[in-house]
Amino acid sequence: MRLQAGTARVYPDVFVACGDTVEPDPETNSVRSATVLVEVLPPATERYDRGGKWLEYQTLHDLMHFVHVAQDQRRVGFFHRQGDGWHYELLQGPDAVLRLAAIGVELRLDDFYSSIPLLATEGGDLATQATFATVQVSGIAGMKGLPRSPDIYAMVTEMDAGECEAAVAAIVGLVGTPAMVDWKSVLPERLQNRLDAVLSASTYY
């Protein structure tokens, strides 16, 4: 969903819009309401996300929380509205909890980083290349919404570290609502014959 914030039309990584009617503008296909905004901060866009985009977000009259999540270390910063201004907090400790009072949600840092092996515990740093395991592939596929079946899960558990890394990259790159056939771009070629049989059966959960 596209968000109209000030003069910008953007696609936040996550946003929550509250209210009885949150309808896209028929001309721009954008909504103009957001109570919570979450942005992951890759190096290429971090300056814009923290700067120009944040200034545009502040024009949203109903915005209460703006969260930015680092992808190279366990660090979550967030602004929350206090009267006519904004209060900033930085969360880094092992027991840190993000409290989004406007929507009644609390999230631990462990929840943000549980699918990234090197950052799953305090002290992790992506200066060293992360190694993905099959459990992370399955978890990230679930979060992305890829349909699964017992046969698919069995094939995932057979992949080695290199195949897992390639699978995670493929999953993250999927656009839109994934379908069962998208496993074609995720699983390695050596498993394609078995995958074809699963796709033909079209039984998934």
Side-chain angles (χ1 to χ4, degrees), residues 125-139:
D125 191 329
L126 287 183
T128 304
Q129 180 63 41
T131 300
F132 290 96
T134 56
V135 64
Q136 277 84 37
V137 174
S138 182

Side-chain angles (χ1 to χ4, degrees), residues 28-79:
T28 65
N29 198 32
S30 304
V31 298
R32 298 174 178 268
S33 173
T35 304
V36 178
L37 283 162
V38 181
E39 294 282 7
V40 178
L41 300 181
T45 64
E46 181 169 357
R47 179 176 296 181
Y48 173 57
D49 288 340
R50 289 178 178 272
K53 186 183 285 188
W54 170 223
L55 291 176
E56 298 284 8
Y57 283 165
Q58 290 178 58
T59 66
L60 297 167
H61 67 89
D62 56 344
L63 181 64
M64 299 302 294
H65 306 291
F66 173 51
V67 183
H68 47 82
V69 183
Q71 68 171 16
D72 59 347
Q73 57 183 294
R74 288 169 59 92
R75 187 187 76 241
V76 173
F78 79 106
F79 293 88

Side-chain angles (χ1 to χ4, degrees), residues 103-122:
I103 57 172
V105 169
E106 294 188 356
L107 295 169
R108 299 168 60 245
L109 252 63
D110 288 350
D111 297 326
F112 284 91
Y113 296 106
S114 61
S115 295
I116 307 176
L118 214 55
L119 300 181
T121 58
E122 189 185 20

Side-chain angles (χ1 to χ4, degrees), residues 130-188:
T131 300
F132 290 96
T134 56
V135 64
Q136 277 84 37
V137 174
S138 182
I140 294 170
M143 287 188 289
K144 191 75 171 184
L146 264 171
R148 289 174 292 170
S149 72
D151 291 325
I152 290 284
Y153 181 79
M155 282 186 276
V156 169
T157 61
E158 295 178 18
M159 295 194 302
D160 61 29
E163 291 170 340
C164 287
E165 183 177 344
V168 168
I171 294 169
V172 171
L174 293 176
V175 177
T177 302
M180 195 65 156
V181 72
D182 287 318
W183 283 104
K184 281 271 192 180
S185 66
V186 174
L187 293 177

